[in-house]
Every structure is written in C-alpha cells, then in structure tokens.
Amino acid sequence: MFSLGFHYIKVNGRPAPRTEAPILVSNHQGFLDIWIWLWQLLPVGVSAAENKRFPIMGEIMLAFQTIFVDREDGSSGKTATEQIKATVEDARYPQVVIYPEGNTCNGRALCGFKMGAFLPGKPVQPVVIQYKNPSLDASWCEPLGIPVHILALRMLLELNNTVEITYLDPVVPTKAMQESPELFARAVQSAMAEAMAVPVTQYSFGDTALMFRARKYGLPPEAALMEMDRATQVFGAGTTDCKECLEHFANGIKAEHGGSVPKGCGAASSVGLATALGLEGADVSTSDSLMETFDQDKSGTVSFREFVAGLAPLAAKRKAEEGSFYARAIMELKENVLK
C-alpha cells in the first residue's frame, strides 16, 4: 500500500470483536480492498472463483481459507452460503468479510446486495471504504473502467493517495430480519449508503456480465445495463435470459447495418427490431406496430432494456410452458399477437 502512495490510512471507529459481529460487510471498489483487510484483520474472505488465477494474490487467498464463489454456476452460491454459515459458527475461524455487492463499483452508488452475509442471521458490522484522491479514481470497474495493471501504474505515479475506512455500529438482526434476509440486507445497505452519502441501486454482477457480452457483440457496454436485480423482479428475466435476448438484439442491429454494429450504436430501428424478434423481412405495417409496442419512450429506436421489457408480458403468458424467456415470448408473439 505504501509503495502505491497510501502513506496514511484514516480509520474511523473500530472493528467489533468476533463475539459481537462474526461477519463484516464492506463496499468493494477494487483490488486494494483485499490488502486493506489483510492489514486490518486477517479475516476469512469471500471472493469470485476466477480471482484464484491471479499470481501471488490467488495463493494468498487460498492460504487465508477464502470461500470462493463461481458466479456462472447457480449452485455455487448455495455451497458458499453453507460454508459461510459453518465458518461463522466455528469460533476457531477469524471474522468473515463479505462484499455483498458481489462486484466492484466506483463508490458513487451502492449496488444491489446478495444475501450470503445475511442468511446466517448473525450480527453484521458494516464497513465503508472510500478512496479520496480527487486526481485519481482508484476503483477497478471493468469493462467500463481501466485495466488493473494500468490502474496500479497510475497509482505509482501519484505523489499521495488517500483512503478512509469507517467502521459503523454492528447491526443486530431482529426476529423479522432473521426471517427475512432481504429486510436485513436493506437495513445494512441503507446504513452504508447514508455513511457514504450515495444512492442505492439495483445493479449487480449480472449487469457486468451483460456489459462484457455486449462488448463481445460490438455494442457499447453501457447499452446492456439493466439493473438486473430489479429487472428480474419486474420482467421475470434472469441474467441467462438477458444474455440470450442480448444476442438476438445485437444480431438485429447488425442486420440493419449490413453485418456490423456502428461505433457507439446501442439501439435498434424497426428493421433491427423485427430481425431481433425473428421476423426478418416483416412488412412495414408489422414493423411499425412492433415499434409502437416496444419503443416506450417514443424515441424512434428501441434500447435493450425496452426490448426485454417488451418481451416480458409475452413470456409471462406462457410462464407454465417449457422454454427460455426469449423462446416463450417469440412463440406468443407469432401465435397470438401477429395473426
């Protein structure tokens, strides 16, 4: 940390003992957070499985008995939750530090919280980490941010970098919170957001996965942002569903532009929309009717979010049937809407 320009680290409050708070939750902005925790507590951490591949850091994480989560494997989260519960119950282990956002964020908002830290129903101490160098954003938020090695280099070139750690009072769950981890998570999230003076959002790792997929298809990464936690609740479409929709959406844009996506283009016209819906060569009347339905803000183009929103009520009508979100929506569209 000192070599990267962090000559003084301000700490507000104190870490609660394990008996008072076996779990600490923190916002997560980048790779430096890990070093801060190693310096502060030497805790058991929870991390994405892909981080094991990093030289040195991967070995350090294994040595500290880090609990790994494969974010592409739905069953991995359940396994990690059981490991967290077992670690919390075993007094031989140190405290567990969890980043409930499940992803890095730039510190200007809090993303949606995962439930792993709150399912055990044990007291949780919120902790806020804030990097405060006005000339350098220390957050590592790919694909929108800069690569980690460039970020480290920029830190080395700074005369001084600053970070502030704030330990908030432990949150002891009420009976209602123990019965509802979502209620517990919201209480902790609100306390952290207030301490950081930032808003709360429903963005999650699902949005990051979609941004990487969008870049692969030639779309601007930000075009795929959905606030996935909210999208799942409102539209009934999970990350896997949205990935499939994004592929068709990108193919529609490519089709209307001769096989490639123009730089910065993240929305579809009537031709691209029809292609994305599997209706290549649709007549003008049909294309106009589809645009009227999907173009919610009447901008003349359809964004990816509008595309998924337009498919949602169609897929919902066939919820009891087999098939993906996209497949069910298209089936309903062709059989009952476009007669």
Side-chain angles (χ1 to χ4, degrees):
M1 294 288 290
F2 190 87
S3 66
L4 291 172
F6 292 90
H7 306 135
Y8 174 76
I9 298 176
K10 184 177 181 181
V11 180
N12 304 309
R14 64 172 184 85
R18 192 186 195 283
T19 52
E20 293 181 16
I23 299 173
L24 294 93
V25 296
S26 170
N27 61 310
H28 191 22
Q29 288 186 240
F31 67 96
L32 288 177
D33 301 342
I34 299 168
W35 295 107
I36 287 173
W37 284 116
L38 292 178
W39 165 62
Q40 283 280 285
L41 291 176
L42 297 178
V44 172
V46 179
S47 179
E50 60 263 30
N51 290 333
K52 286 189 288 186
R53 76 180 191 275
F54 289 112
I56 303 177
M57 180 51 72
E59 284 70 22
I60 291 175
M61 294 172 115
L62 289 169
F64 281 93
Q65 304 183 77
T66 298
I67 298 168
F68 291 102
V69 182
D70 184 347
R71 295 183 290 193
E72 298 295 332
D73 180 0
S75 63
S76 180
K78 183 178 180 180
T79 301
T81 298
E82 294 302 318
Q83 288 181 281
I84 292 170
K85 288 181 179 179
T87 303
V88 168
E89 295 290 347
D90 192 337
R92 294 174 299 173
Y93 286 96
Q95 289 162 295
V96 179
V97 169
I98 300 175
Y99 305 116
E101 294 170 289
N103 197 24
T104 54
C105 186
N106 61 17
R108 293 190 284 272
L110 272 180
C111 294
F113 277 15
K114 303 300 182 184
M115 294 298 108
F118 311 101
L119 286 169
K122 300 293 184 180
V124 166
Q125 182 172 28
V127 186
V128 168
I129 300 176
Q130 293 175 292
Y131 298 91
K132 296 191 171 183
N133 187 343
S135 63
L136 174 65
D137 183 354
S139 59
W140 174 34
C141 303
E142 291 190 287
L144 296 179
I146 59 177
V148 65
H149 63 284
I150 301 297
L151 177 58
L153 178 60
R154 290 186 60 185
M155 288 180 181
L156 287 168
L157 295 174
E158 291 286 323
L159 290 176
N160 183 62
N161 291 305
T162 57
V163 61
E164 185 173 338
I165 306 167
T166 302
Y167 289 91
L168 305 180
D169 293 335
V171 178
V172 180
T174 62
K175 183 178 180 180
M177 290 179 181
Q178 289 177 327
E179 295 174 351
S180 173
E182 292 81 7
L183 182 64
F184 191 6
R186 284 198 297 271
V188 174
Q189 187 182 42
S190 296
M192 293 175 64
E194 183 178 354
M196 296 173 66
V198 299
V200 170
T201 74
Q202 293 301 313
Y203 291 111
S204 68
F205 176 72
D207 290 283
T208 300
L210 286 173
M211 286 193 291
F212 275 109
R213 189 64 63 94
R215 187 168 67 177
K216 175 183 175 182
Y217 295 147
L219 299 172
E222 60 273 17
L225 286 171
M226 290 284 295
E227 282 196 286
M228 274 309 306
D229 285 357
R230 182 174 297 167
T232 301
Q233 297 170 8
V234 176
F235 302 139
T239 302
T240 300
D241 297 318
C242 287
K243 284 180 178 179
E244 181 183 8
C245 291
L246 184 61
E247 180 179 4
H248 290 284
F249 184 72
N251 288 338
I253 295 178
K254 289 177 182 178
E256 70 175 280
H257 293 285
S260 62
V261 179
K263 186 176 180 179
C265 179
S269 68
S270 58
V271 174
L273 175 62
T275 302
L277 295 171
L279 300 170
E280 299 89 341
D283 58 52
V284 174
S285 176
T286 299
S287 296
D288 289 346
S289 176
L290 292 171
M291 280 297 292
E292 182 69 24
T293 301
F294 281 80
D295 183 15
Q296 296 179 352
D297 62 2
K298 307 307 175 186
S299 64
T301 59
V302 173
S303 67
F304 177 60
R305 185 182 184 86
E306 289 176 323
F307 182 64
V308 176
L311 292 174
L314 300 173
K317 290 183 179 180
R318 293 177 177 261
K319 190 174 183 178
E321 299 181 21
E322 293 185 2
S324 67
F325 173 89
Y326 176 83
R328 287 185 282 114
I330 297 305
M331 189 182 302
E332 176 66 19
L333 177 68
K334 293 182 176 180
E335 291 185 7
N336 295 321
V337 178
L338 300 177
K339 292 182 179 180

